[in-house]
Coordinates of all heavy atoms in Angstrom, one line a residue:
M1 N 61.7 -38.1 51.7 CA 60.2 -38.1 51.8 C 59.8 -39.3 52.6 O 60.3 -40.4 52.3 CB 59.6 -38.0 50.4 CG 58.2 -37.5 50.5 SD 57.6 -37.3 48.8 CE 56.4 -36.1 49.0
D2 N 58.9 -39.1 53.5 CA 58.4 -40.2 54.4 C 57.6 -41.2 53.6 O 56.8 -40.7 52.7 CB 57.6 -39.5 55.5 CG 57.3 -40.5 56.6 OD1 57.9 -41.6 56.7 OD2 56.4 -40.2 57.4
P3 N 57.6 -42.5 53.8 CA 56.8 -43.4 53.1 C 55.3 -43.2 53.2 O 54.6 -43.4 52.2 CB 57.2 -44.8 53.7 CG 58.5 -44.6 54.4 CD 58.6 -43.1 54.8
I4 N 54.9 -42.6 54.3 CA 53.4 -42.3 54.4 C 53.1 -41.2 53.5 O 52.0 -41.2 52.9 CB 53.1 -42.0 55.9 CG1 53.3 -43.3 56.7 CG2 51.7 -41.5 56.0 CD1 53.1 -43.1 58.2
D5 N 54.0 -40.2 53.4 CA 53.7 -39.1 52.5 C 53.6 -39.6 51.0 O 52.8 -39.1 50.2 CB 54.8 -38.0 52.6 CG 54.7 -37.3 53.9 OD1 53.6 -37.3 54.5 OD2 55.7 -36.8 54.4
I6 N 54.5 -40.5 50.7 CA 54.5 -41.0 49.3 C 53.2 -41.8 49.0 O 52.5 -41.6 48.0 CB 55.7 -42.0 49.1 CG1 57.0 -41.2 49.1 CG2 55.6 -42.7 47.7 CD1 58.2 -42.0 49.1
I7 N 52.7 -42.6 50.0 CA 51.4 -43.3 49.8 C 50.3 -42.3 49.7 O 49.4 -42.4 48.9 CB 51.2 -44.3 51.0 CG1 52.3 -45.4 51.0 CG2 49.8 -44.8 51.0 CD1 52.3 -46.3 52.2
S8 N 50.3 -41.2 50.5 CA 49.3 -40.2 50.5 C 49.2 -39.5 49.1 O 48.2 -39.2 48.6 CB 49.5 -39.2 51.6 OG 49.4 -39.8 52.8
V9 N 50.4 -39.3 48.6 CA 50.5 -38.6 47.3 C 49.8 -39.4 46.2 O 49.1 -38.9 45.3 CB 51.9 -38.3 46.9 CG1 52.1 -37.9 45.4 CG2 52.5 -37.2 47.8
F10 N 49.9 -40.7 46.2 CA 49.3 -41.6 45.2 C 47.8 -42.0 45.6 O 47.0 -42.1 44.7 CB 50.1 -42.8 45.0 CG 51.4 -42.5 44.3 CD1 52.6 -42.7 45.0 CD2 51.4 -42.1 43.0 CE1 53.8 -42.4 44.4 CE2 52.6 -41.8 42.4 CZ 53.8 -41.9 43.1
T11 N 47.6 -42.1 46.9 CA 46.3 -42.6 47.3 C 45.2 -41.6 47.2 O 44.1 -41.9 46.7 CB 46.4 -43.1 48.8 OG1 47.4 -44.0 48.9 CG2 45.1 -43.7 49.2
L12 N 45.4 -40.3 47.6 CA 44.4 -39.3 47.5 C 43.9 -39.0 46.1 O 42.7 -39.0 45.8 CB 44.9 -38.0 48.2 CG 45.0 -38.1 49.7 CD1 45.6 -36.8 50.2 CD2 43.7 -38.4 50.3
P13 N 44.8 -38.9 45.1 CA 44.3 -38.7 43.7 C 43.6 -39.9 43.2 O 42.6 -39.8 42.5 CB 45.6 -38.4 42.9 CG 46.6 -38.0 43.8 CD 46.2 -38.6 45.1
L14 N 44.0 -41.1 43.6 CA 43.4 -42.4 43.2 C 42.0 -42.4 43.8 O 41.0 -42.8 43.1 CB 44.2 -43.6 43.6 CG 43.6 -44.9 43.2 CD1 43.4 -45.1 41.7 CD2 44.5 -46.1 43.7
L15 N 41.9 -42.1 45.0 CA 40.6 -42.1 45.7 C 39.6 -41.1 45.0 O 38.4 -41.4 44.8 CB 40.7 -41.8 47.2 CG 39.5 -41.8 48.0 CD1 38.8 -43.2 48.0 CD2 39.8 -41.5 49.5
A16 N 40.1 -39.9 44.7 CA 39.3 -38.9 44.1 C 38.8 -39.4 42.7 O 37.7 -39.2 42.3 CB 40.1 -37.6 43.9
F17 N 39.7 -40.0 42.0 CA 39.4 -40.5 40.6 C 38.3 -41.6 40.8 O 37.3 -41.6 40.0 CB 40.6 -41.1 40.0 CG 40.4 -41.9 38.7 CD1 40.1 -41.2 37.6 CD2 40.3 -43.3 38.7 CE1 39.8 -41.8 36.4 CE2 40.0 -43.9 37.5 CZ 39.8 -43.2 36.3
L18 N 38.4 -42.5 41.7 CA 37.4 -43.6 41.9 C 36.1 -43.0 42.3 O 35.0 -43.5 41.8 CB 37.9 -44.6 42.9 CG 39.1 -45.4 42.5 CD1 39.6 -46.3 43.7 CD2 38.7 -46.3 41.3
L19 N 36.1 -42.0 43.1 CA 34.8 -41.4 43.5 C 34.1 -40.7 42.3 O 32.9 -40.8 42.1 CB 35.0 -40.4 44.7 CG 35.3 -41.0 46.0 CD1 35.7 -39.9 47.0 CD2 34.1 -41.7 46.5
I20 N 34.9 -40.0 41.5 CA 34.3 -39.4 40.3 C 33.8 -40.4 39.4 O 32.7 -40.2 38.8 CB 35.4 -38.5 39.7 CG1 35.7 -37.3 40.6 CG2 35.0 -38.0 38.3 CD1 36.9 -36.5 40.1
E21 N 34.5 -41.5 39.2 CA 34.1 -42.5 38.3 C 32.8 -43.2 38.8 O 31.9 -43.5 38.0 CB 35.2 -43.6 38.1 CG 36.2 -43.2 37.1 CD 35.7 -42.9 35.7 OE1 34.9 -43.8 35.2 OE2 36.0 -41.9 35.2
A22 N 32.7 -43.4 40.1 CA 31.5 -44.0 40.7 C 30.3 -43.1 40.5 O 29.2 -43.5 40.1 CB 31.7 -44.3 42.1
A23 N 30.5 -41.8 40.6 CA 29.4 -40.8 40.4 C 29.0 -40.8 39.0 O 27.8 -40.7 38.6 CB 29.8 -39.4 40.9
T24 N 30.0 -40.8 38.1 CA 29.7 -40.8 36.7 C 28.9 -42.1 36.2 O 28.0 -42.0 35.5 CB 31.0 -40.7 35.9 OG1 31.7 -39.5 36.3 CG2 30.7 -40.6 34.4
A25 N 29.3 -43.2 36.8 CA 28.7 -44.5 36.4 C 27.2 -44.5 36.9 O 26.3 -44.9 36.2 CB 29.4 -45.7 37.0
A26 N 27.0 -43.9 38.1 CA 25.6 -43.9 38.6 C 24.8 -42.9 37.8 O 23.6 -43.2 37.5 CB 25.6 -43.4 40.1
R27 N 25.3 -41.8 37.3 CA 24.6 -40.9 36.4 C 24.3 -41.6 35.1 O 23.2 -41.5 34.6 CB 25.4 -39.6 36.2 CG 24.6 -38.6 35.4 CD 25.5 -37.3 35.1 NE 26.8 -37.6 34.6 CZ 27.1 -37.9 33.3 NH1 26.1 -38.1 32.5 NH2 28.3 -38.1 33.0
R28 N 25.2 -42.3 34.5 CA 25.0 -43.0 33.3 C 23.9 -44.0 33.4 O 23.1 -44.2 32.5 CB 26.3 -43.6 32.8 CG 27.2 -42.7 32.1 CD 28.3 -43.4 31.4 NE 29.0 -44.4 32.2 CZ 30.2 -44.2 32.7 NH1 30.9 -43.1 32.5 NH2 30.8 -45.2 33.4
Q29 N 23.9 -44.7 34.6 CA 22.9 -45.7 34.8 C 21.5 -45.1 34.9 O 20.5 -45.5 34.3 CB 23.2 -46.5 36.1 CG 22.2 -47.6 36.3 CD 22.5 -48.4 37.5 OE1 23.3 -48.1 38.3 NE2 21.8 -49.5 37.7
R30 N 21.4 -43.9 35.6 CA 20.1 -43.2 35.7 C 19.6 -42.8 34.3 O 18.5 -42.9 34.0 CB 20.2 -42.0 36.7 CG 20.2 -42.4 38.1 CD 20.0 -41.2 39.0 NE 21.0 -40.1 38.7 CZ 22.2 -40.0 39.3 NH1 22.6 -40.9 40.1 NH2 23.0 -39.0 39.0
D31 N 20.6 -42.2 33.5 CA 20.2 -41.8 32.2 C 19.8 -42.9 31.3 O 18.8 -42.8 30.6 CB 21.5 -41.1 31.5 CG 21.8 -39.8 32.1 OD1 21.0 -39.3 32.9 OD2 23.0 -39.3 31.8
T32 N 20.4 -44.1 31.4 CA 20.0 -45.3 30.7 C 18.6 -45.7 31.1 O 17.8 -46.1 30.2 CB 21.0 -46.4 30.8 OG1 22.3 -45.9 30.4 CG2 20.7 -47.6 30.1
V33 N 18.3 -45.8 32.4 CA 17.0 -46.2 32.8 C 16.0 -45.2 32.3 O 14.9 -45.7 31.9 CB 17.0 -46.3 34.4 CG1 15.6 -46.4 34.9 CG2 17.9 -47.4 34.9
A34 N 16.2 -43.9 32.3 CA 15.3 -42.9 31.9 C 15.0 -43.1 30.3 O 13.9 -43.1 29.9 CB 15.8 -41.5 32.2
R35 N 16.1 -43.4 29.6 CA 16.0 -43.6 28.1 C 15.1 -44.8 27.9 O 14.3 -44.8 27.0 CB 17.3 -43.7 27.5 CG 18.0 -42.4 27.4 CD 19.3 -42.5 26.6 NE 19.0 -42.8 25.3 CZ 19.9 -43.3 24.4 NH1 21.2 -43.5 24.8 NH2 19.6 -43.5 23.2
L36 N 15.4 -45.9 28.6 CA 14.6 -47.1 28.4 C 13.1 -46.9 28.7 O 12.3 -47.4 28.0 CB 15.2 -48.3 29.3 CG 16.5 -48.9 28.7 CD1 17.0 -49.9 29.8 CD2 16.2 -49.6 27.4
A37 N 12.9 -46.1 29.8 CA 11.5 -45.9 30.1 C 10.8 -45.1 29.0 O 9.6 -45.3 28.6 CB 11.4 -45.1 31.4
R38 N 11.5 -44.1 28.4 CA 10.9 -43.3 27.3 C 10.7 -44.2 26.1 O 9.6 -44.1 25.5 CB 11.9 -42.2 26.9 CG 11.8 -41.0 27.9 CD 12.5 -39.7 27.3 NE 13.8 -40.0 26.9 CZ 14.9 -39.8 27.6 NH1 14.8 -39.5 28.9 NH2 16.1 -40.0 27.1
L39 N 11.6 -45.1 25.8 CA 11.5 -46.0 24.7 C 10.3 -46.9 24.9 O 9.5 -47.2 24.0 CB 12.7 -46.8 24.4 CG 13.9 -46.0 23.8 CD1 15.1 -46.9 23.8 CD2 13.5 -45.7 22.4
D40 N 10.1 -47.4 26.1 CA 9.0 -48.3 26.5 C 7.7 -47.6 26.3 O 6.7 -48.1 25.7 CB 9.2 -48.8 27.9 CG 8.1 -49.9 28.2 OD1 8.0 -50.8 27.4 OD2 7.5 -49.8 29.2
R41 N 7.6 -46.3 26.7 CA 6.4 -45.5 26.5 C 6.1 -45.4 25.0 O 4.9 -45.5 24.6 CB 6.5 -44.2 27.2 CG 6.3 -44.3 28.7 CD 6.1 -42.9 29.3 NE 7.2 -42.0 29.1 CZ 8.3 -41.9 29.8 NH1 8.4 -42.6 30.8 NH2 9.2 -41.0 29.5
K42 N 7.1 -45.1 24.3 CA 6.9 -44.9 22.8 C 6.4 -46.2 22.2 O 5.5 -46.2 21.3 CB 8.2 -44.4 22.2 CG 8.5 -43.0 22.5 CD 9.8 -42.5 21.9 CE 10.1 -41.1 22.2 NZ 11.4 -40.7 21.6
M43 N 7.0 -47.3 22.6 CA 6.7 -48.6 22.0 C 5.2 -48.9 22.4 O 4.5 -49.4 21.5 CB 7.6 -49.7 22.5 CG 7.3 -51.1 22.0 SD 7.5 -51.2 20.2 CE 9.3 -51.1 20.1
Q44 N 4.8 -48.7 23.6 CA 3.4 -48.9 24.0 C 2.5 -48.0 23.2 O 1.4 -48.5 22.8 CB 3.3 -48.7 25.5 CG 3.9 -49.7 26.4 CD 3.5 -51.1 26.1 OE1 2.3 -51.3 25.9 NE2 4.4 -52.0 26.1
L45 N 2.8 -46.8 22.9 CA 2.0 -45.9 22.1 C 1.9 -46.5 20.7 O 0.8 -46.5 20.1 CB 2.6 -44.5 22.0 CG 2.4 -43.7 23.3 CD1 3.2 -42.4 23.2 CD2 0.9 -43.4 23.5
L46 N 3.0 -47.0 20.1 CA 2.9 -47.6 18.8 C 2.0 -48.8 18.8 O 1.2 -49.0 17.9 CB 4.3 -47.9 18.3 CG 5.2 -46.8 17.8 CD1 6.6 -47.2 17.6 CD2 4.6 -46.2 16.6
L47 N 2.2 -49.7 19.8 CA 1.4 -50.9 19.8 C -0.1 -50.6 19.9 O -0.9 -51.2 19.3 CB 1.9 -51.8 21.0 CG 3.2 -52.4 20.9 CD1 3.6 -53.1 22.2 CD2 3.2 -53.4 19.7
T48 N -0.4 -49.6 20.8 CA -1.8 -49.2 20.9 C -2.3 -48.6 19.7 O -3.4 -48.9 19.2 CB -1.9 -48.2 22.1 OG1 -1.4 -48.7 23.3 CG2 -3.3 -47.7 22.3
H49 N -1.6 -47.7 19.0 CA -2.0 -47.1 17.8 C -2.3 -48.1 16.7 O -3.2 -48.0 15.9 CB -1.0 -46.1 17.3 CG -1.3 -45.4 16.0 ND1 -2.3 -44.5 15.9 CD2 -0.8 -45.6 14.7 CE1 -2.4 -44.1 14.6 NE2 -1.5 -44.8 13.9
L50 N -1.4 -49.2 16.6 CA -1.6 -50.2 15.6 C -2.5 -51.3 16.0 O -2.8 -52.2 15.2 CB -0.2 -50.8 15.3 CG 0.8 -49.9 14.7 CD1 2.2 -50.5 14.6 CD2 0.4 -49.4 13.3
G51 N -3.0 -51.2 17.2 CA -4.0 -52.2 17.7 C -3.4 -53.6 18.0 O -4.0 -54.6 18.0
I52 N -2.1 -53.6 18.3 CA -1.4 -54.8 18.7 C -1.4 -55.0 20.2 O -1.1 -54.1 20.9 CB 0.1 -54.7 18.1 CG1 0.1 -54.6 16.6 CG2 0.8 -56.0 18.6 CD1 1.4 -54.3 16.0
V53 N -1.8 -56.2 20.6 CA -1.8 -56.5 22.0 C -0.5 -57.1 22.4 O 0.0 -58.0 21.8 CB -3.0 -57.5 22.3 CG1 -3.0 -57.9 23.8 CG2 -4.3 -56.9 21.9
D54 N 0.1 -56.6 23.5 CA 1.4 -57.1 24.0 C 1.1 -58.4 24.6 O 0.4 -58.5 25.6 CB 1.9 -56.1 25.0 CG 3.3 -56.5 25.5 OD1 3.9 -57.5 25.0 OD2 3.8 -55.9 26.4
P55 N 1.7 -59.5 24.1 CA 1.4 -60.8 24.6 C 1.8 -61.1 26.0 O 1.2 -61.9 26.7 CB 2.1 -61.8 23.6 CG 3.0 -61.0 22.9 CD 2.6 -59.6 22.9
E56 N 2.8 -60.3 26.5 CA 3.3 -60.5 27.8 C 2.2 -60.1 28.8 O 2.0 -60.8 29.9 CB 4.5 -59.7 28.1 CG 5.8 -60.3 27.5 CD 6.1 -61.6 28.1 OE1 6.0 -61.8 29.3 OE2 6.4 -62.5 27.3
Q57 N 1.4 -59.1 28.5 CA 0.3 -58.7 29.4 C -0.8 -59.8 29.4 O -1.3 -60.1 30.4 CB -0.2 -57.4 29.0 CG 0.7 -56.2 29.2 CD 0.3 -54.9 28.6 OE1 -0.7 -54.9 27.8 NE2 0.9 -53.8 28.8
E58 N -1.0 -60.3 28.2 CA -2.1 -61.3 28.1 C -1.7 -62.6 28.8 O -2.5 -63.4 29.2 CB -2.4 -61.6 26.6 CG -2.9 -60.4 25.9 CD -4.4 -60.1 26.4 OE1 -5.1 -61.0 26.6 OE2 -4.7 -58.9 26.4
L59 N -0.4 -62.9 28.8 CA 0.1 -64.2 29.4 C 0.1 -64.2 30.9 O 0.4 -65.3 31.5 CB 1.5 -64.5 28.8 CG 1.5 -64.7 27.3 CD1 2.9 -65.1 26.8 CD2 0.5 -65.8 26.8
A60 N -0.2 -63.1 31.5 CA -0.3 -63.1 33.0 C -1.3 -64.1 33.5 O -1.1 -64.8 34.5 CB -0.6 -61.7 33.5
E61 N -2.4 -64.2 32.7 CA -3.5 -65.2 33.1 C -3.0 -66.6 32.9 O -3.3 -67.5 33.8 CB -4.7 -64.9 32.2 CG -5.9 -65.9 32.5 CD -7.0 -65.7 31.6 OE1 -7.0 -64.8 30.7 OE2 -8.0 -66.4 31.7
V62 N -2.2 -66.8 31.9 CA -1.6 -68.2 31.7 C -0.7 -68.5 32.9 O -0.8 -69.6 33.4 CB -0.8 -68.2 30.4 CG1 -0.2 -69.6 30.2 CG2 -1.8 -67.9 29.2
R63 N 0.1 -67.6 33.3 CA 1.0 -67.9 34.4 C 0.3 -68.1 35.7 O 0.7 -69.0 36.5 CB 2.0 -66.7 34.6 CG 3.1 -66.7 33.5 CD 4.2 -65.7 33.8 NE 4.0 -64.4 33.4 CZ 4.0 -63.9 32.1 NH1 4.2 -64.8 31.2 NH2 3.7 -62.7 31.8
E64 N -0.8 -67.4 35.9 CA -1.6 -67.6 37.1 C -2.2 -69.0 37.1 O -2.2 -69.7 38.1 CB -2.8 -66.5 37.1 CG -3.6 -66.6 38.3 CD -2.9 -66.3 39.6 OE1 -1.9 -65.6 39.6 OE2 -3.3 -66.9 40.7
H65 N -2.7 -69.5 36.0 CA -3.3 -70.8 35.9 C -2.2 -71.8 36.2 O -2.4 -72.8 36.9 CB -3.9 -71.1 34.5 CG -5.2 -70.4 34.3 ND1 -6.3 -70.5 35.1 CD2 -5.6 -69.6 33.3 CE1 -7.3 -69.8 34.6 NE2 -6.9 -69.3 33.5
L66 N -1.0 -71.6 35.6 CA 0.1 -72.5 35.9 C 0.5 -72.6 37.4 O 0.8 -73.6 37.9 CB 1.4 -72.2 35.0 CG 1.3 -72.5 33.6 CD1 2.4 -71.9 32.8 CD2 1.2 -74.0 33.4
R67 N 0.5 -71.4 38.0 CA 0.8 -71.4 39.4 C -0.2 -72.2 40.3 O 0.2 -72.8 41.3 CB 0.8 -69.9 39.9 CG 2.2 -69.2 39.8 CD 2.2 -67.9 40.5 NE 1.3 -66.9 40.0 CZ 1.6 -66.1 39.0 NH1 2.7 -66.1 38.4 NH2 0.7 -65.2 38.6
N68 N -1.4 -72.2 39.8 CA -2.5 -72.9 40.5 C -2.6 -74.4 40.0 O -3.5 -75.1 40.4 CB -3.8 -72.2 40.3 CG -3.8 -70.8 41.0 OD1 -3.2 -70.7 42.1 ND2 -4.4 -69.9 40.4
G69 N -1.7 -74.8 39.1 CA -1.7 -76.2 38.7 C -2.8 -76.5 37.7 O -3.1 -77.7 37.5
R70 N -3.4 -75.5 37.0 CA -4.4 -75.7 36.0 C -3.9 -75.6 34.6 O -4.1 -74.6 33.9 CB -5.6 -74.7 36.3 CG -6.2 -74.9 37.7 CD -7.4 -74.0 37.8 NE -7.2 -72.6 37.5 CZ -7.2 -71.6 38.3 NH1 -7.5 -71.9 39.6 NH2 -7.0 -70.4 37.9
T71 N -3.2 -76.7 34.2 CA -2.5 -76.7 32.9 C -3.5 -76.5 31.7 O -3.3 -75.8 30.8 CB -1.7 -78.0 32.7 OG1 -0.9 -78.1 33.8 CG2 -0.9 -77.9 31.4
I72 N -4.6 -77.2 31.8 CA -5.6 -77.1 30.7 C -6.2 -75.7 30.6 O -6.3 -75.2 29.4 CB -6.8 -78.1 30.9 CG1 -6.2 -79.6 30.8 CG2 -7.9 -77.9 29.9 CD1 -7.2 -80.6 31.1
H73 N -6.4 -75.1 31.7 CA -6.9 -73.7 31.7 C -5.8 -72.8 31.1 O -6.1 -71.8 30.4 CB -7.3 -73.2 33.1 CG -8.6 -73.9 33.6 ND1 -9.8 -73.6 33.2 CD2 -8.7 -75.0 34.4 CE1 -10.7 -74.3 33.8 NE2 -10.0 -75.2 34.5
A74 N -4.6 -73.1 31.5 CA -3.4 -72.3 31.0 C -3.3 -72.4 29.4 O -3.1 -71.4 28.7 CB -2.1 -72.7 31.6
V75 N -3.5 -73.6 28.9 CA -3.4 -73.8 27.5 C -4.6 -73.0 26.8 O -4.4 -72.4 25.8 CB -3.5 -75.3 27.1 CG1 -3.7 -75.5 25.6 CG2 -2.2 -76.0 27.6
R76 N -5.8 -73.1 27.4 CA -6.9 -72.4 26.8 C -6.7 -70.9 26.8 O -7.0 -70.2 25.8 CB -8.2 -72.8 27.6 CG -9.4 -72.3 27.0 CD -10.7 -72.7 27.8 NE -10.7 -74.2 27.9 CZ -11.1 -74.9 29.0 NH1 -11.4 -74.2 30.1 NH2 -11.2 -76.2 28.9
A77 N -6.1 -70.4 27.9 CA -5.9 -68.9 28.0 C -4.8 -68.5 27.0 O -4.9 -67.5 26.4 CB -5.5 -68.6 29.4
Y78 N -3.8 -69.4 26.8 CA -2.7 -69.1 25.9 C -3.3 -69.0 24.5 O -2.9 -68.1 23.7 CB -1.6 -70.2 26.0 CG -0.4 -69.8 25.1 CD1 0.6 -69.1 25.7 CD2 -0.3 -70.2 23.8 CE1 1.8 -68.8 24.9 CE2 0.8 -69.9 23.0 CZ 1.8 -69.2 23.6 OH 2.9 -68.9 22.9
R79 N -4.1 -70.0 24.1 CA -4.7 -70.0 22.8 C -5.6 -68.7 22.6 O -5.5 -68.1 21.5 CB -5.6 -71.2 22.6 CG -4.8 -72.5 22.5 CD -5.6 -73.7 22.2 NE -6.1 -73.5 20.8 CZ -7.1 -74.2 20.2 NH1 -7.8 -75.1 21.0 NH2 -7.4 -74.1 19.0
K80 N -6.3 -68.3 23.6 CA -7.1 -67.2 23.5 C -6.3 -65.9 23.3 O -6.6 -65.0 22.5 CB -8.0 -67.0 24.7 CG -8.9 -65.8 24.7 CD -9.8 -65.8 26.0 CE -10.6 -64.5 26.0 NZ -11.2 -64.3 27.3
A81 N -5.2 -65.8 24.0 CA -4.3 -64.6 24.0 C -3.5 -64.5 22.7 O -3.3 -63.4 22.2 CB -3.4 -64.6 25.2
T82 N -3.1 -65.7 22.2 CA -2.2 -65.6 21.0 C -2.8 -66.1 19.7 O -2.2 -65.8 18.6 CB -1.0 -66.5 21.3 OG1 -1.4 -67.9 21.4 CG2 -0.2 -66.1 22.5
G83 N -3.9 -66.8 19.8 CA -4.5 -67.3 18.5 C -3.8 -68.6 18.0 O -4.0 -69.0 16.9
E84 N -2.9 -69.2 18.8 CA -2.1 -70.3 18.3 C -3.0 -71.6 18.3 O -4.1 -71.6 19.0 CB -1.0 -70.6 19.3 CG 0.1 -69.6 19.3 CD 1.0 -69.7 18.1 OE1 1.0 -70.7 17.4 OE2 1.7 -68.7 17.8
G85 N -2.6 -72.6 17.7 CA -3.3 -73.9 17.7 C -3.1 -74.6 18.9 O -2.2 -74.2 19.8
L86 N -3.8 -75.7 19.1 CA -3.7 -76.5 20.3 C -2.3 -77.0 20.6 O -1.8 -76.9 21.7 CB -4.7 -77.7 20.3 CG -4.8 -78.6 21.5 CD1 -5.1 -77.8 22.7 CD2 -5.8 -79.7 21.3
L87 N -1.7 -77.6 19.6 CA -0.4 -78.2 19.8 C 0.7 -77.1 20.2 O 1.4 -77.3 21.1 CB 0.1 -79.0 18.6 CG 1.5 -79.6 18.6 CD1 1.5 -80.6 19.7 CD2 1.9 -80.2 17.3
E88 N 0.7 -76.0 19.4 CA 1.6 -74.9 19.7 C 1.4 -74.4 21.1 O 2.3 -74.1 21.8 CB 1.5 -73.8 18.6 CG 1.9 -74.2 17.3 CD 0.8 -74.9 16.5 OE1 -0.3 -75.0 17.0 OE2 1.1 -75.4 15.4
A89 N 0.1 -74.2 21.5 CA -0.2 -73.7 22.8 C 0.3 -74.6 23.9 O 0.8 -74.2 24.9 CB -1.7 -73.4 22.9
K90 N 0.0 -75.9 23.7 CA 0.4 -76.9 24.7 C 1.9 -76.9 24.9 O 2.5 -76.9 26.0 CB -0.1 -78.3 24.3 CG 0.4 -79.4 25.1 CD -0.2 -79.4 26.5 CE 0.1 -80.7 27.3 NZ 1.1 -80.6 28.3
Q91 N 2.7 -76.8 23.7 CA 4.1 -76.8 23.8 C 4.6 -75.5 24.5 O 5.6 -75.6 25.3 CB 4.7 -76.9 22.4 CG 4.5 -78.3 21.8 CD 4.9 -78.3 20.3 OE1 5.0 -77.3 19.7 NE2 5.1 -79.5 19.8
A92 N 4.0 -74.4 24.2 CA 4.4 -73.1 24.8 C 4.2 -73.1 26.3 O 5.0 -72.7 27.1 CB 3.7 -72.0 24.1
V93 N 3.0 -73.6 26.7 CA 2.7 -73.7 28.1 C 3.6 -74.6 28.8 O 4.0 -74.4 30.0 CB 1.2 -74.1 28.3 CG1 0.9 -74.4 29.7 CG2 0.3 -72.9 27.8
D94 N 3.9 -75.7 28.2 CA 4.9 -76.7 28.8 C 6.3 -76.0 29.0 O 6.9 -76.2 30.0 CB 5.1 -77.9 28.0 CG 3.8 -78.9 28.0 OD1 3.0 -78.7 29.0 OD2 3.7 -79.7 27.2
R95 N 6.7 -75.2 28.0 CA 7.9 -74.5 28.2 C 7.8 -73.4 29.3 O 8.7 -73.3 30.1 CB 8.3 -73.8 26.9 CG 8.9 -74.7 25.8 CD 9.5 -73.9 24.7 NE 8.6 -73.0 24.0 CZ 7.7 -73.3 23.0 NH1 7.7 -74.5 22.5 NH2 6.9 -72.4 22.5
M96 N 6.7 -72.8 29.4 CA 6.5 -71.8 30.5 C 6.5 -72.5 31.8 O 7.0 -71.9 32.8 CB 5.2 -71.0 30.3 CG 5.2 -70.1 29.1 SD 3.6 -69.3 28.8 CE 3.4 -68.2 30.2
A97 N 5.9 -73.6 31.9 CA 5.8 -74.4 33.2 C 7.2 -74.8 33.6 O 7.5 -74.9 34.8 CB 4.9 -75.6 33.0
G98 N 8.1 -75.0 32.7 CA 9.5 -75.4 33.0 C 10.4 -74.3 33.5 O 11.5 -74.4 34.0
Q99 N 9.9 -73.0 33.3 CA 10.7 -71.8 33.7 C 10.3 -71.5 35.1 O 9.2 -71.7 35.5 CB 10.4 -70.7 32.8 CG 10.8 -70.9 31.3 CD 10.4 -69.7 30.4 OE1 9.6 -68.8 30.8 NE2 10.8 -69.8 29.2
P100 N 11.3 -70.9 35.8 CA 11.0 -70.5 37.2 C 10.1 -69.3 37.3 O 9.9 -68.5 36.4 CB 12.4 -70.1 37.8 CG 13.3 -70.0 36.6 CD 12.7 -70.7 35.5

């Protein structure tokens, strides 16, 4: 048997296996993304039903103040969004300011 034929015998099934695995991985990733989206919708419905405000949405104003260099306004907005005290809000805003 020619060496090229031997390589072909092993290469073609390996290539087919890799293509099938890549397609399967892509499908699993799409399924996972869809499941996460459904879970997120359910979580949002629960939060809304219970009257709980998602702090991440409320903290967008805090991040905007930080981007504009208005730390005091950011602390004020953080306190309003979370109900935290002044010290806790200042520490949280300082931690947020240190993040990219």
Side-chain angles (χ1 to χ4, degrees):
M1 201 172 203
D2 191 17
I4 294 178
D5 291 335
I6 294 172
I7 292 172
S8 297
V9 167
F10 292 111
T11 305
L12 290 176
L14 179 62
L15 182 59
F17 173 76
L18 291 174
L19 287 173
I20 291 169
E21 281 300 311
T24 303
R27 182 182 51 77
R28 281 193 308 256
Q29 183 179 11
R30 283 192 307 273
D31 291 348
T32 301
V33 168
R35 286 184 67 195
L36 284 173
R38 285 193 306 271
L39 285 172
D40 187 49
R41 282 192 303 273
K42 288 178 182 180
M43 181 63 72
Q44 291 303 320
L45 285 171
L46 283 171
L47 290 173
T48 302
H49 178 73
L50 295 172
I52 299 171
V53 176
D54 184 7
E56 284 299 315
Q57 294 171 350
E58 296 290 324
L59 297 181
E61 181 182 356
V62 175
R63 285 191 275 288
E64 181 65 28
H65 287 307
L66 285 173
R67 274 193 292 275
N68 294 324
R70 297 188 309 247
T71 306
I72 294 172
H73 292 281
V75 171
R76 189 176 299 141
Y78 187 91
R79 290 187 70 197
K80 181 180 174 190
T82 63
E84 293 284 342
L86 180 60
L87 179 62
E88 293 84 4
K90 173 72 169 102
Q91 290 170 343
V93 167
D94 287 343
R95 282 191 303 272
M96 289 174 72
Q99 296 175 352

